[in-house]
Structure formats: structure tokens, C-alpha cells
Amino acid sequence: MAEWWFMEPDAFHAFIRELGERFMLYAPARRDGIVTFTFVENHEDVELSKRPFTSPKAAFLPQTEVLLKFSLRGERVHLSPAQRPESPIAVVGIRPCEAGALKLLDPVFSSPPEDVHYTLRRENALLVGFACTSPERWCFCTSLGSSPFDEDGLDVLLVEVSGGYCALAVTERGRRALEVVRDMLRKADEALLGEIEERRRQAERAMKTLDVERFIARLEDMGDDPIWEEIAARCIGCGICTYLCPTCYCFDIQDEAGLTSGRRVRVWDSCMYPEYTLEASGHNPRPKRVHRVKNRIYHKFRWYVDLFGLVGCVGCGRCAEHCPVNVDIKEIISEVVRR
Amino acid sequence: MIDEGRMREVARDLLASGEVDCVIGYARGSVWYRARPVAISDPDKVDMLIFNPFCMQNLATWLKFEMKENGGLQGKYGVVAKGCTARALIQMMQENGISTDDVYTIGVPCPGMVDPRKLGDDVLAMEDARVTLAGERVVVEGERRKVFSRDDVLHETCLLCRYPTPPLYDVLIGEGIEGRPAEDKNLAHLESLPAEERAKYWEDAFSRCIRCYACRNACPLCYCDGCALECLDPQWVYRSVEVSENTLYHLIRAYHLTGRCVECGSCEFSCPADVPLMELNRKMARDVERMFNYVPGMDPKAKPLLGAYDPRDPEGFIL
């Protein structure tokens, strides 16, 4: 089954159009000049050339999700639970690291009590991955057991080649998806296979490897190291790193109510906000930025490991790329390993 | 560009003599097109200080973190201050947020900051590079050399800047430079649009917002103790990320910064979603200037706009 198929741009568009018939398409698209992951109505809006600033986690864990609506009718309170997730979602253009990130979210939401909002979306989804032929300078997926062409967790892997794309059906679901445009595909010949291999090698070579294992081990006795104060001193405590992170999953549940009706919503939360740990008494166990910065790193690289045996970071580097004060996770890893 | 050696010397003397307890300045980032804020209290570490075309953040902001986390400022701070940074400090002094004795302003005349996004992906891909501003040109020298026009790569707020030199300082590194603001074409264009189109423009912009609060947190003048946005009872703005709540969030900020914003552009620079926040802030600033002949952050003894009354103030909106 592990066969590569060549598709010309026309076939690629036909493929996405067909997917759009059966799935809700979630893909990178340009909105007012900025590329973001979003639900797209028109398959022509899909733009794979630039990695979106957002991660695709919102397809499965929306930033805002209505769980329940309530209203007062006379003496009675009327409750209407949220609709179960809609049609299945096809995520097109998801990067290998981001598919890896979903596998990190799975244990969180499928552990009892199962979160059906997440798991239903996830079970029915089709993931059409897009290999990273030119990784960003912030990327370090190869240090975390993945790679720019990693097919693990995907249903289909697309690689950009001269004249179009090559597609690999990774799963049976992926094979069936490609089947629809079967007559527009041709088997990749030796030359194309060689090109894919060459691009894979180039992408992997472009990435420096960090010693994450040593980093994790060093964290054990670095809780009081001055490095955290140094980093926190410049942190502005915004939510960029956590909101753009494909593996951060914290949320809050709030009631938004008027006089006679309202709704209960789940919204993303961020451990970088002081309110995140603020207790009703007024006490805050993580009162300063240094506590919050340290928590973010330790959650991903220690506590997630303890809980699930997995590292809670996939090396996409978005947190560093978009940090307005240049808190750079790659630099932190190298620095801690060096100390 | 400014003399970094002189800046370091000043910082070293201030720390060594005990005149200040800490110097807030800029240091090299992890990549060549980023600089980062740094707080130094050891005189032997002042060589970290730099001033290059990527020092975009307004360092007055770091005083608010000190105030919030330590229940007030802990000693005296030397602050490396561009025109906009000094204006933010002055504005905080006007509002009694800080006192003139809290800071020592190390003024740096600012030729404007380069927006890395405007350099293009191929330039940013260079492993290392040095960027210099020379008159009308911005020169990037790395594996390749590339020359840009200043107008094409500076942050818009820097192109429009009228006060590149601090209006007030304790020491000025080098010679002051005159502001030569460009024409604000974007704002003029926005103002010329019919209301429906303007509404659509802002609806699109606010719907991109992810409510990370980077704009608020990077803002030197968003230093309120207890922000309206964190209030849960009443909850003025819901946490739902949708256009109505996002709009409310940004309008609350715009109103709270009216007559206070010093147009440093830290909010817009920090925004990951390209929300044109400065267009909103500039609109309010120009209106205030036109109606009340008031420019914030120029004189620590002046009264804040909302605390001042002049019989000539327009009152056309009063029924």
C-alpha cells in the first residue's frame, strides 16, 4: 500500500474539492494577508506554501465552544446541550509535527471521563499532511523523534515536487480518500521517488539536533536555577506561546449569562495568565512570571513525561517564532544542557 | 546609529556608583532580527547592552511588571529610552504611576525600527546578518547584502514618528534627531471610507484576534492595578473569542489609551495576528490633538487629558 502517487496541481485541487464534498475542510488560508488555519468554504482558498501562524489544534479543540445553552421560561429553567460535533473534518496541510501534537492531546481527552466533543471530531477526521521541505529556523522536530516527512499519525502525506505533489496513502482511510481522484493520479516513477528522497534528506539536514533527553534529565535539579528568572524577566506574560502551541490544551469553562438566558462555554486558557491559578481566596500559588514560565517548560518536559510517558512538545517552534520578546525554547534547551 | 560603547559606559557608571539599582535595556536576541529586553544590576554585565534596528519593545513596560509583582518599584531604574519610551515614562509620571525619582532616563535618539516581516522570507532565512540604518537606506549584510529603502521596511509607527528624541532625559547618548513624520495615508484612507466599509474593515481585523493579550501586556501604559478585562463580577468582556467580544476588548483598550498612547507601536509589533491596532490608537490620538490641542507624554508636570479642563474644550457632544 505504501505507494507514492503523483498529482498535478489540477489533480490536487480536484482532490481537495472532492474532500470538501464529504468533509468540513480545515486548512491554511490567507485572510487579509495572513495565513491561518481555518475552516474553508472554497477549496481554492487553501494555501500550502506558508506555514500558518496558528496550529490546527482548534479544529478539534475550538478556542470557544458552546457546551450548553440555558434560559428561564416562567418558573422553569430550560437547558439545551450543545449539538454533537457536526460533519467529519478533513485537515489539509497539517504538518507532521502537528499530527504528532494531536497524538499528545489524545490521551488527555480520551482518558476518563472521555471528552466526546474532542474524541468524536478526532475519530472521524482525515489528516492530509504536508511534508516540510524547508523547515523554519525555529523548528526542531528531529530532536523529538519526528521528522519533516514523518507520516506517523497522518492518513495521507503530500510532498511538493517539481510539477505538482506526490501523495502517500498512509492509512486505509487515506487510501480511500485518494481513490476518489484515482484516474487523475499516476504512480510515481523512479525519478520522482528519488526527488522525494532528496528533499527529505535536505530537510532533515537543515535541522540541528538538540539533546532533549539530557535537557529533561537536567530539569530534575534545575528548579531553582537563575535561568528561569533571566527568562521571566523579559516575559510579558501574554498567551501567544500557549495559544499558538499545538500541544497546549488548557481550557476554562465559564457561564455567559444575560438576565433570562445564557450559555456555558469552554474557552482556551493559558498558564501564562495570572488568573489561571488565582484562587477564590485571593491567593495565587504562581504569583510571578517566573513561576509561570517555569511551569510551562516543566509541564511539557517533565510532568507530561511522568503522566503519559511522552514529551509534551513536538518542536514546531511557534512559541519562539512569535514571542514578542524572543523567549526561544531551542535556546533554553541548549542553555540548560550546556550549564 | 548610536554609540553602544557610550551607552554601556553610562550604564556601568550608574550601576557602579549606586545611582540606579538596575538598568533596563536591550540585548541581542537568539536570532539576528530580534532584540530582547534585559534587566542588569551587575555593572560587569553591561556589555550585553545593544541598540540596533530591532529594539522595538517599549522598555517602560518593564516597570509595570516590577510594580505588579513586587508591590511597587524596588529602587531606582535606569531605562534605555527611545523617544516613545521616554514619553511613556513621562505619561506615567503625569499620572502618578511612577515618580521622577524612580527612573534615570538614558535617552537614545531613535532612527526608527525595522519590521523583520517586511524584509521578506528570503532575507530572514540568512543565518546571520547585520542591519544598519544609513540615511534613507537600510542595509542588511549577511551571506548576501541587500539594501532596502527606509520607507519600505521600517515599522509604520516609526515612519510616522514625530518624537524620535526623548523630550526629557537624564543623559542623551549622541545627538538628538528631528522627527520627520511621513503622511499618514492609511489613516486618511480609513477616514475616507463610508461607515459600513470601516465597520467591515474592523470586523475582519478583530475577528483575527486570538485574545492572547500581547497588545495589552506589551503596552507601557496598560499598567492599571486590576485590569477591567480581568474583572469577573461584573464580567465586562466575556472570554469567548468571537468578533463581538474581541471588538469590545479592543475598544475598551482604545478608549483607555485615548490621550495617553505615545504611539510606540509595541502592541502592533507584539500582535501575532496582524491586527492594525495602531490605526485605532492613531485615530484617537489625532482626534484628541485636533479637539483638545493635547499631545500626551511630553511634560511630566502637565495634567493628564482627562484630568484637565479648558473653557475652550469643544462640547458639541453634550446635549
Side-chain angles (χ1 to χ4, degrees), chain A residues 64 137 256 289 326 328 331, chain B residues 30 36 124 126 240-241:
Chain A
T64 307
R137 74 158 71 222
E256 302 182 343
R289 287 165 299 153
N326 190 228
D328 182 343
E331 183 187 39
Chain B
S30 64
R36 55 172 59 151
L124 296 187
M126 284 199 249
S240 283
V241 179

Side-chain angles (χ1 to χ4, degrees), chain A residues 25-325:
Chain A
L25 283 180
Y26 194 77
R30 199 170 282 272
R31 294 267 184 271
D32 306 300
I34 183 167
V35 178
T36 173
F37 262 111
T38 179
F39 283 104
V40 288
E41 298 291 329
N42 186 345
H43 69 95
E44 283 168 4
D45 289 346
V46 175
E47 181 170 333
L48 296 185
S49 60
K50 195 164 170 59
R51 182 171 82 158
F53 80 100
T54 50
S55 91
K57 72 176 172 190
F60 304 100
L61 183 67
Q63 188 167 10
T64 307
E65 180 169 21
V66 179
L67 301 177
L68 181 74
K69 288 183 177 167
F70 45 85
S71 56
L72 192 62
R73 293 181 191 168
E75 292 299 303
R76 301 175 72 86
V77 176
H78 185 81
L79 301 179
S80 52
Q83 302 259 312
R84 280 293 164 81
E86 332 67 16
S87 5
I89 298 165
V91 185
V92 176
I94 183 171
R95 305 296 175 115
C97 61
E98 295 158 352
L102 291 177
K103 291 201 304 186
L104 292 176
L105 298 184
D106 291 344
V108 176
F109 292 101
S110 56
S111 305
E114 182 185 342
D115 188 319
V116 289
H117 297 271
Y118 174 90
T119 55
L120 273 181
R121 287 191 189 106
R122 188 75 174 96
E123 280 160 17
N124 296 326
L126 177 81
L127 302 186
V128 179
F130 187 56
C132 300
T133 46
S134 46
E136 311 272 339
R137 74 158 71 222
W138 312 96
C139 297
F140 60 110
C141 65
T142 52
S143 306
L144 288 149
S146 182
S147 66
F149 280 49
D150 194 355
E151 61 208 51
D152 195 22
L154 295 169
D155 294 300
V156 174
L157 176 64
L158 296 174
V159 178
E160 194 169 17
V161 291
S162 27
Y165 300 92
C166 277
L168 176 76
V170 181
T171 61
E172 178 57 23
R173 186 178 290 186
R175 193 192 63 76
R176 281 202 307 272
L178 282 169
E179 196 63 43
V180 183
V181 286
R182 176 70 185 81
D183 47 356
M184 294 181 82
L185 307 177
R186 68 177 161 82
K187 243 171 110 169
D189 56 20
E190 284 301 315
L192 278 170
L193 294 178
E195 188 181 342
I196 294 170
E197 192 47 30
E198 181 49 33
R199 286 183 183 236
R200 186 181 65 78
R201 266 203 299 266
Q202 259 183 27
E204 284 176 17
R205 256 204 312 267
M207 300 177 77
K208 289 186 196 117
T209 311
L210 301 171
D211 193 348
V212 173
E213 211 169 301
R214 171 116 185 93
F215 173 65
I216 291 172
R218 287 289 285 120
L219 288 180
E220 181 93 79
D221 55 8
M222 290 215 23
D224 297 319
D225 197 275
I227 190 172
W228 309 117
E229 290 281 2
E230 286 164 29
I231 299 164
R234 66 174 179 275
C235 175
I236 60 168
C238 74
I240 292 180
C241 48
T242 50
Y243 282 1
L244 301 190
C245 175
T247 72
C248 275
Y249 52 78
C250 284
F251 58 81
D252 194 4
I253 293 178
Q254 298 200 348
D255 286 347
E256 302 182 343
L259 283 177
T260 57
S261 66
R263 58 187 201 165
R264 175 162 295 177
V265 293
R266 159 154 74 182
V267 287
W268 288 358
D269 203 353
S270 171
C271 59
M272 303 309 289
Y273 299 159
E275 309 91 279
Y276 181 86
T277 43
L278 182 63
E279 294 170 6
S281 66
H283 172 68
N284 195 337
R286 285 187 214 138
K288 296 187 179 189
R289 287 165 299 153
V290 62
H291 307 125
R292 303 193 279 270
V293 164
K294 204 159 73 177
N295 171 74
R296 183 169 75 89
I297 306 290
Y298 271 75
H299 184 198
K300 295 202 181 300
F301 292 93
R302 287 293 310 190
W303 303 322
Y304 204 90
V305 181
D306 291 347
L307 260 173
F308 299 112
L310 301 161
V311 181
C313 168
V314 292
C316 77
R318 275 193 182 85
C319 53
E321 180 179 5
H322 297 282
C323 176
V325 286

Side-chain angles (χ1 to χ4, degrees), chain B residues 11 18 33-34 58 61 86 96 147 178-179 191 209 250 253 290:
Chain B
Y33 54 86
R34 294 259 192 278
N58 189 324
T61 298
N96 290 325
V147 181
E178 287 292 313
E191 286 175 330
C209 171
H250 289 293
R253 273 202 78 237
R290 183 170 45 77

